[in-house]
Amino acid sequence: MNEDRGDVARTLGLNRPKAHRYRPWIWGGAAVVAVAAFVYLSYGQDIEPSARYQTVDAARADLTITVSATGTIEPTNLVEISSELSGTLETVHVDYNDLVERGTVLASLDTRKLQAQLNVSEAALDAAIARVAMAQASLEDAREKFTTAQELDRRGVLAHQTFTTRKTAFDRAGAELLSAEADRDLAEATLELHQAELDLACICSPVAGIVLSRNVDPGQIVAASLSAPILFTLAEDLTKMELQVDIDEADIGRVSLGNSATFTVDAYDDRAFPAEITEIRFASETIDGVVTYKAILDIDNAEMLLRPGMTASAEIIVEQIDDALVVPNAALRFAPPAEAEAGERSGLLGMLVPAREPQARVTDSRSVWILRAETAVEIPVQTGASDGQNTQILSGDLSAGDLVITDQSDG
């Protein structure tokens, strides 16, 4: 009978062991432990990273503060030569790179018409001079007759009408002489005008220098009625040139006359040429919304390596500090990450959900971090001038040789 009950119980599942009733809880707990272990292995290293610092020694060095500017090389005196007269170019006497002296004939216009006008003026002047001589002779004759008439009239032996006629003739002769002299002066002025026009037909060099460009050929017609065309461009002396650079308005207050500079050109990119500021113009120039001011730097081009129009990049020395305590600019920007708050994301939640990446502390340029006894220590400092890579330290608990932290990595 009891055996039958046991069979029925086993059939209905009433005699199942108690341990089997808690098997789902066991499997659930095992799953939680497995997830926690996976999260810990995956994120455990990010919770408490081991920091490695990149350091540079604070050092004493000479600090050179410069202002950068770009510009072009130009001759000190550039002369553009045109023609004041219109006409046909008869001859061109010079070409590119020719050396010329002051007064050298560069080109000549066809002067046949001008020469004819000059000849006419010379003839007109000769005629005017002859008329003056005739008027002078007439005046002398009229004066003599008038003097005789005065004497006879005083004696009362000359009719009054005759006296009046000789006086009128004398006055007329004087006026004719004045008119003849005016005609002579006019003829002289006309002759000078035509001579000047003939002289202008010779296109000559006003300076001693070199021909940079020639824009005309023989037979070409020059029309100077509206705007005079540029026929030749001359540079007075290529051994003395100037560098014209544009300085940004943010830097113009740091630049002054006499500042020395160095510049490079693409043709000789491995060589720095010296220069000196001789002029800073007050007039501004706006290019693409940027306000700049023109500065002129003198260049010694005795080697004749530099050519007009070359693009140059200049570094103008505005301040020189000897034996300054300097640190890299990266050290002034560095700040170690802020430490996580105590107890944040502790327990099972902290294991399952990793904490956020630590945030960098906010710092300013008046403090640096140094490594002392393997510990990062913040040092307040007062900064001075900077050359873009290093900055001068004026005061603070910092000495040459201190390990200044510039960056941090997790190791």
Side-chain angles (χ1 to χ4, degrees):
M1 186 68 177
N2 291 334
E3 293 178 358
D4 294 338
R5 290 179 179 175
D7 292 337
V8 173
R10 282 192 297 273
T11 301
L12 297 176
L14 297 178
N15 271 345
R16 186 173 300 169
K18 292 182 180 181
H20 293 177
R21 297 178 185 178
Y22 300 100
R23 186 170 298 171
W25 293 96
I26 295 175
W27 286 108
V32 170
V33 171
V35 171
F38 173 77
V39 171
Y40 177 78
L41 292 177
S42 300
Y43 299 97
Q45 294 181 351
D46 292 337
I47 297 174
E48 296 181 358
S50 176
R52 292 182 179 178
Y53 297 111
Q54 298 178 13
T55 61
V56 175
D57 290 347
R60 306 202 72 87
D62 296 338
L63 197 63
T64 301
I65 313 303
T66 62
V67 169
S68 300
T70 59
T72 57
I73 297 173
E74 301 294 344
T76 302
N77 187 16
L78 190 67
V79 182
E80 295 178 338
I81 299 176
S82 303
S83 174
E84 295 185 30
L85 299 179
S86 298
T88 303
L89 280 172
E90 186 176 34
T91 55
V92 176
H93 303 285
V94 296
D95 205 345
Y96 291 93
N97 298 339
D98 283 353
L99 297 176
V100 296
E101 298 295 332
R102 183 183 180 89
T104 299
V105 179
L106 307 177
S108 300
L109 293 171
D110 184 354
T111 60
R112 290 175 296 177
K113 181 179 179 180
L114 296 176
Q115 187 63 55
Q117 291 176 345
L118 182 64
N119 294 338
V120 171
S121 298
E122 289 176 346
L125 178 60
D126 293 339
I129 294 174
R131 286 193 296 271
V132 169
M134 294 173 59
Q136 287 176 340
S138 298
L139 178 62
E140 291 299 326
D141 180 64
R143 179 183 288 113
E144 185 176 352
K145 292 179 179 180
F146 176 64
T147 302
T148 302
Q150 281 182 318
E151 181 63 25
L152 294 175
D153 182 66
R154 186 178 64 81
R155 295 178 182 179
V157 296
L158 183 68
H160 182 70
Q161 182 177 1
T162 303
F163 174 77
T164 304
T165 301
R166 291 182 180 180
K167 183 179 183 302
T168 303
F170 174 70
D171 293 339
R172 184 183 298 110
E176 288 176 351
L177 177 60
L178 293 176
S179 177
E181 289 176 343
D183 290 341
R184 181 197 60 190
D185 294 340
L186 178 60
E188 288 178 348
T190 304
L191 177 62
E192 291 178 359
L193 176 62
H194 289 159
Q195 182 64 59
E197 290 181 346
L198 184 61
D199 294 340
L200 291 175
C202 176
I203 303 171
C204 303
S205 173
V207 297
I210 185 173
V211 178
L212 296 183
S213 66
R214 187 206 73 189
N215 304 318
V216 290
D217 293 301
Q220 184 173 338
I221 297 177
V222 177
S225 57
L226 297 179
S227 61
I230 298 175
L231 308 181
F232 301 93
T233 301
L234 305 182
E236 184 172 6
D237 185 6
L238 290 185
T239 62
K240 299 293 183 181
M241 302 184 71
E242 63 184 27
L243 173 58
Q244 301 180 5
V245 297
D246 297 320
I247 300 178
D248 191 271
E249 62 175 327
D251 297 324
I252 194 64
R254 306 165 63 189
V255 178
S256 59
L257 295 178
N259 285 153
S260 59
T262 58
F263 67 92
T264 58
V265 295
D266 291 340
Y268 311 101
D269 54 359
D270 58 343
R271 177 172 176 177
F273 296 88
E276 181 179 341
I277 293 183
T278 58
E279 180 184 353
I280 302 175
R281 297 175 181 171
F282 284 95
S284 64
E285 299 179 3
T286 303
I287 302 175
D288 296 332
V290 178
V291 178
T292 60
Y293 294 86
K294 188 76 70 179
I296 308 300
L297 293 82
D298 269 359
I299 301 172
D300 184 3
N301 191 33
E303 299 181 63
M304 298 295 289
L305 298 178
L306 303 173
R307 303 190 178 194
M310 281 185 169
T311 302
S313 299
E315 295 292 332
I316 304 171
I317 300 175
V318 296
E319 188 176 359
Q320 183 76 43
I321 305 174
D322 298 330
D323 194 32
L325 178 62
V326 297
V327 298
N329 288 354
L332 297 171
R333 296 191 296 266
F334 171 78
E339 298 178 358
E341 297 180 0
E344 183 180 358
R345 296 192 182 278
S346 58
L348 182 59
L349 179 60
M351 298 179 61
L352 294 177
V353 182
R356 293 180 298 174
E357 292 293 331
Q359 301 297 315
R361 287 190 177 96
V362 177
T363 186
D364 55 31
S365 60
R366 293 176 296 177
S367 66
V368 295
W369 291 77
I370 66 174
L371 197 61
R372 289 180 178 173
E374 302 300 324
T375 303
V377 179
E378 185 177 11
I379 303 297
V381 294
Q382 181 182 358
T383 59
S386 174
D387 64 357
Q389 297 181 343
N390 299 298
T391 298
Q392 179 188 16
I393 301 300
L394 300 177
S395 63
D397 186 16
L398 187 68
S399 304
D402 286 344
L403 297 178
V404 180
I405 302 175
T406 59
D407 201 358
Q408 174 182 340
S409 60
D410 295 336

